[in-house]
Structures are given as C-alpha cells and as structure tokens.
Amino acid sequence: KNQVEQSPQSLIILEGKNCTLQCNYTVSPFSNLRWYKQDTGRGPVSLTIMTFSENTKSNGRYTATLDADTKQSSLHITASQLSDSASYICVVSAKGGSYIPTFGRGTSLIVHP
Amino acid sequence: NAGVTQTPKFQVLKTGQSMTLQCAQDMNHEYMSWYRQDPGMGLRLIHYSVGAGITDQGEVPNGYNVSRSTTEDFPLRLLSAAPSQTSVYFCASSYKKTGQTSYGYTFGSGTRLTVV
C-alpha cells in the first residue's frame, strides 16, 4: 500500500530560526513529489514539485530535497517568519494510470515571535 | 482568474438532508477532484474526473455522488447526510497528465460542513 509519513507531527520554532520537515514515502513506481503549504482555514498551496531526476528545488526561503533511492524528502525553511505558521503537506504520485496521489498527514509549524 | 471557487464556505445540515457542494474552475483544467480533510488525517480523495463526462471513485466515495457535464464545474452531492460526513471539503483541479508527470493541483478554499 502506498504511504507517505511526515515528521515531526508538529514543530514550534522562534522567528528567524531555520527548520527542516521530513517526508518518507513508499509510493511506487515514483512519479513526482510535491510540498504544499496550508494556512489555517485555507486550501493547500503548492510550494514545490520534484520529479525523479530532481534532487533539489527552491522557492524563496523554501528548499525541498529528494532522495529517490531512500524514498525521502525534506523541506527546509530558512529564516522563518510568522507567516510560515501553517501545515506543510507532502504529496507523492505514482506513475501509471492512477490519478490518486497519496497525501501525508502534514506537519504543523508554529513560528513564535 | 478566480482559480477554483467553492460554494458555500460553511453549511450546517440535519441528518438525512441532501445538498450539493459547488466547485468551479476557470483555468481550463481537465482534471478535477474532491477531497475531505478531517483532524489528524491527510486529505482523502472522494471522487475525481479526468474530463467532462468522465468520473471515478476515490478512497472514500460512499455517500457521495458527482457528475461532470462541463469542463468548468464539478459538483459534489451528499445524498443523505450523516454526522460522519462532518468535515472540510476541498475541490482541486489540474492540467491533464503529460506523460507520466502530473502538474500541481490548485485547491479551492474549502467548504466546512457540519451534520447534526
């Protein structure tokens, strides 16, 4: 069964600090991995998308890495801001005819001033 | 562009009532889907559509119906609401798959449904 596990479940950091969120998956055969940011009361918004051949992708202060061999991804947030407080969701899609991506449960990040 | 528009934003239903959650997109996306999000759980796929006239079931389809008569609209119908359907519902759309890679999804802002 395809699974996506995220850790930690929740994280509290001080404004200005860096943090790293983890995503491990068992989805096979792998097609792509996306990270989404979901603010409270809003729909998820795409941060990055990576395919098998990509191992790093940045979007401003967000940098995602992918190790397709170990089936792990991380999302690094640099110089955190209060607006980074949100849930971060890892989503992995498989190759083939299935249109059903596998969602992680998300990491809840709180940035304190 | 409005993106993905969901209505209503909030709804309270009594057990046994039926209703339709509306979803419309103006990006000419072929693929549309409905998810529900419950506390402590990831987004779960209810139904999806790969184009007008084509729909299929996701992980948790029971109690829900969909139709796709146009590219723009993908309504979700609750046939007989139950308290277990209390959740936040998200509609999402994307361009069709190109090769083996899907484009990223655009999500609506959600409908918060309470069934009492």
Side-chain angles (χ1 to χ4, degrees):
Chain A
K1 180 181 178 182
N2 290 333
Q3 289 187 311
V4 175
E5 300 289 339
Q6 292 188 242
S7 62
Q9 186 174 352
S10 62
L11 182 62
I12 300 174
I13 62 174
L14 293 177
E15 186 179 13
K17 299 297 186 182
N18 303 335
C19 68
T20 300
L21 314 180
Q22 300 291 341
C23 173
N24 296 339
Y25 62 91
T26 61
V27 176
S28 183
F30 176 83
S31 175
N32 60 76
L33 183 147
R34 312 185 200 104
W35 283 94
Y36 285 87
K37 178 187 180 189
Q38 185 177 21
D39 293 316
T40 302
R42 308 290 294 273
V45 175
S46 180
L47 292 175
T48 64
I49 177 170
M50 289 185 292
T51 59
F52 185 87
S53 59
E54 298 171 302
N55 53 25
T56 302
K57 185 162 281 190
S58 293
N59 179 357
R61 294 179 297 101
Y62 301 101
T63 299
T65 64
L66 173 66
D67 186 334
D69 291 332
T70 61
K71 299 185 177 181
Q72 296 179 323
S73 176
S74 65
L75 181 68
H76 186 74
I77 304 175
T78 303
S80 62
Q81 300 176 358
L82 299 180
S83 60
D84 292 330
S85 295
S87 178
Y88 292 84
I89 303 171
C90 177
V91 183
V92 184
S93 294
K95 288 183 179 180
S98 172
Y99 290 90
I100 303 177
T102 304
F103 283 75
R105 296 185 178 187
T107 292
S108 176
L109 175 66
I110 298 175
V111 180
H112 280 311
Chain B
N1 286 344
V4 177
T5 302
Q6 288 185 238
T7 57
K9 293 189 182 302
F10 302 93
Q11 183 70 49
V12 178
L13 287 178
K14 294 183 178 179
T15 297
Q17 286 185 317
S18 62
M19 78 160 294
T20 299
L21 280 62
Q22 301 292 343
C23 176
Q25 52 92 8
D26 60 359
M27 298 170 286
N28 202 31
H29 285 173
E30 291 196 6
Y31 176 73
M32 297 185 73
S33 54
W34 276 101
Y35 291 87
R36 60 177 290 173
Q37 187 174 40
D38 301 296
M41 302 189 72
L43 286 149
R44 292 184 292 169
L45 182 65
I46 304 171
H47 285 286
Y48 65 95
S49 169
V50 300
I54 306 170
T55 63
D56 207 344
Q57 297 181 349
E59 304 169 71
V60 288
N62 292 340
Y64 308 94
N65 270 358
V66 292
S67 60
R68 185 94 179 271
S69 57
T70 66
T71 299
E72 295 78 18
D73 300 299
F74 191 44
L76 177 72
R77 298 183 191 84
L78 278 69
L79 308 173
S80 178
S84 61
Q85 293 178 305
T86 294
S87 187
V88 181
Y89 292 84
F90 289 99
C91 179
S93 72
S94 70
Y95 289 107
K96 66 179 179 180
K97 291 179 72 172
T98 299
Q100 298 295 323
T101 303
S102 298
Y103 289 91
Y105 299 102
T106 300
F107 283 86
S109 57
T111 295
R112 185 174 296 274
L113 176 68
T114 302
V115 182
V116 298

